[in-house]
Amino acid sequence: ANIALNRAKKSLSADFDYFSGDMEEHTRWRLDLIRQLKHDFHAEKLVVWYQPQVAIYSGDVVGVEALLRWPDGDGFVQPPSVFVPLAEYSGLIVEIGEWVLSQACHAYRELAQLQESRIRIAVNISMPQFRAGNLTERVAALLGSQRVPPSALELEITESVAMDEPKTVIAALEGLRALGVSIAIDDFGTGYSSLAQLRALPIDRLKIDRAFIDEIRDGRGGLFAETIISLGQKLGLRLTAEGVETPEQAGFLRALGCSEAQGYFYARPMPLSELKVWLAARQRV
Ligand code: C2E
Ligand code: MG
Ligand code: MG
Ligand code: MG
């Protein structure tokens, strides 16, 4: 029994050494990436792409979501799923997020010239941006100086942001909504918010997470997508389905009364210049 115990101890400590070495390596990799991101952001190498949001029934483009990209030659250094959490962890997201907002305002003005019907711009906001304080004032100042109507802006936050520091976040959301900015809960259904917490949130829209749309396939509906749609309708919230990739999914969502969708079935995220061409071609049809 002793031998077995010693062997177990040995293998545990060996695993542990290996693990901690790996952790160090991983930490160094993360710190290097943060340093590189900070450098490239200040060197103006980051870009913002835009993905159309479509009214399912009419096919009209009703909005675009601003999505960060970190280009590297023909490809990308890292996807946002990797570098956005690092930017949040390091606090860099406060500066980057403010820049994304100003880029989105610029895009709005360009698109407003092109389209007769007004397009909304959606921008993702992270927790450190709320913690930095004065988010409402900063957004108000930006919209004012860039001459963008507050009703054209929608801010997307995840459930975890909404639950993290409810007092701070709810106060800011109320200020933003008083301005006329609308608020969407992103990736809805994947977080841990309770219905009681959801009811207390001053929000306008639920974005149904892609995972639930993905379940709509091969003639089968998505039970969770259906449930979220009916929840949203009962709470008087607007709904957007994320990650719609097939006509089958669009048809299912439309039949259930989900009014808006975003996904590769309609269009992928693209640079502003491409989006303008895409919109112009679509209007000609
Ligand atoms: P998100 O806000 O939920 O954005 C939607 C993500 O789904 C985007 O990934 C988009 O490219 C992807 N997507 C859209 N349609 C489809 C589809 O039909 N199929 C599939 N498989 N994917 C689809 P992306 O651009 O990689 O961004 C990932 C996440 O990074 C975003 O998720 C958001 O949480 C974060 N992010 C991106 N830009 C910003 C930003 O400026 N600020 C902050 N705070 N976060 C950002
Ligand atoms: Mg989003
Ligand atoms: Mg999402
Ligand atoms: Mg997400």
Side-chain angles (χ1 to χ4, degrees), residues 59 99 141 188 198 207 220 222 248 259:
W99 173 77
F188 184 76
L198 179 67
K207 292 188 77 180
R220 276 178 296 135
E248 183 194 4
S259 55

Side-chain angles (χ1 to χ4, degrees), residues 207-239:
K207 292 188 77 180
I208 309 165
D209 192 77
R210 178 157 61 86
F212 306 118
I213 307 306
D214 206 49
E215 291 168 357
I216 308 166
R217 54 169 73 221
D218 310 323
R220 276 178 296 135
L223 185 59
F224 280 89
E226 191 173 340
T227 305
I228 294 169
I229 291 168
S230 113
L231 175 70
Q233 287 168 341
K234 284 174 183 139
L235 293 173
L237 299 171
R238 298 181 183 176
L239 289 154

Side-chain angles (χ1 to χ4, degrees), residues 4-285:
L5 190 67
N6 278 337
R7 200 182 294 138
K9 272 188 187 160
K10 219 179 221 165
S11 84
L12 201 70
S13 71
D15 275 346
F16 194 75
D17 284 347
Y18 172 75
F19 186 61
S20 60
D22 213 40
M23 288 277 283
E24 233 170 76
E25 190 99 327
H26 188 66
T27 304
R28 199 170 311 126
W29 178 80
R30 281 164 47 110
L31 291 176
D32 282 345
L33 214 54
I34 291 169
R35 209 170 297 130
Q36 195 187 342
L37 177 63
K38 191 170 184 176
H39 173 273
D40 283 1
F41 171 61
H42 287 123
E44 298 180 14
K45 285 183 179 162
L46 296 194
V47 295
V48 178
W49 283 15
Y50 299 90
Q51 185 179 32
Q53 299 178 325
V54 173
I56 301 180
Y57 194 80
S58 63
D60 289 346
V61 177
V62 289
V64 293
E65 178 175 6
L67 293 161
L68 266 168
R69 292 292 179 267
W70 186 5
D72 176 26
D74 288 340
F76 299 97
V77 179
Q78 291 290 340
S81 56
V82 172
F83 75 80
V84 168
L86 294 178
E88 290 172 345
Y89 167 79
S90 64
L92 196 57
I93 198 69
V94 176
E95 260 181 279
I96 296 182
E98 185 113 9
W99 173 77
V100 173
L101 272 167
S102 70
Q103 290 295 107
C105 286
H106 166 76
Y108 170 81
R109 286 206 316 273
E110 297 265 299
L111 297 176
Q113 281 179 0
L114 214 91
Q115 291 260 119
E116 289 151 36
S117 54
R118 287 294 155 101
I119 280 187
R120 174 182 77 223
I121 43 171
V123 178
N124 295 286
I125 300 288
S126 295
M127 191 58 216
Q129 295 175 268
F130 284 95
R131 281 206 203 97
N134 303 325
L135 183 62
T136 311
E137 290 79 2
R138 285 185 288 122
V139 168
L142 194 65
L143 292 172
S145 68
Q146 302 238 26
R147 287 168 288 116
V148 173
S151 62
L153 179 64
E154 184 156 282
L155 300 181
E156 299 189 359
I157 60 169
T158 59
E159 281 173 79
S160 63
V161 166
M163 298 312 136
D164 214 14
E165 288 171 31
K167 274 196 187 138
T168 314
V169 172
I170 289 175
L173 296 185
E174 279 168 352
L176 289 160
R177 288 181 88 217
L179 279 181
V181 170
S182 58
I183 308 295
I185 299 292
D186 208 347
D187 306 342
F188 184 76
T190 60
Y192 296 99
S193 55
S194 69
L195 291 179
Q197 288 168 315
L198 179 67
R199 195 161 54 173
L201 282 179
I203 57 171
D204 303 281
R205 182 186 302 276
L206 299 178
K207 292 188 77 180
I208 309 165
D209 192 77
R210 178 157 61 86
F212 306 118
I213 307 306
D214 206 49
E215 291 168 357
I216 308 166
R217 54 169 73 221
D218 310 323
R220 276 178 296 135
L223 185 59
F224 280 89
E226 191 173 340
T227 305
I228 294 169
I229 291 168
S230 113
L231 175 70
Q233 287 168 341
K234 284 174 183 139
L235 293 173
L237 299 171
R238 298 181 183 176
L239 289 154
T240 301
E242 291 192 277
V244 174
E245 295 183 349
T246 67
E248 183 194 4
Q249 291 166 343
F252 178 87
L253 292 161
R254 174 179 159 164
L256 288 174
C258 175
S259 55
E260 295 182 22
Q262 184 179 341
Y264 298 168
F265 172 60
Y266 299 100
R268 290 185 178 249
M270 55 191 127
L272 181 60
S273 56
E274 255 178 60
L275 176 67
K276 287 180 170 164
V277 174
W278 184 86
L279 281 172
R282 212 177 154 91
Q283 282 179 336
R284 242 176 275 126
V285 184

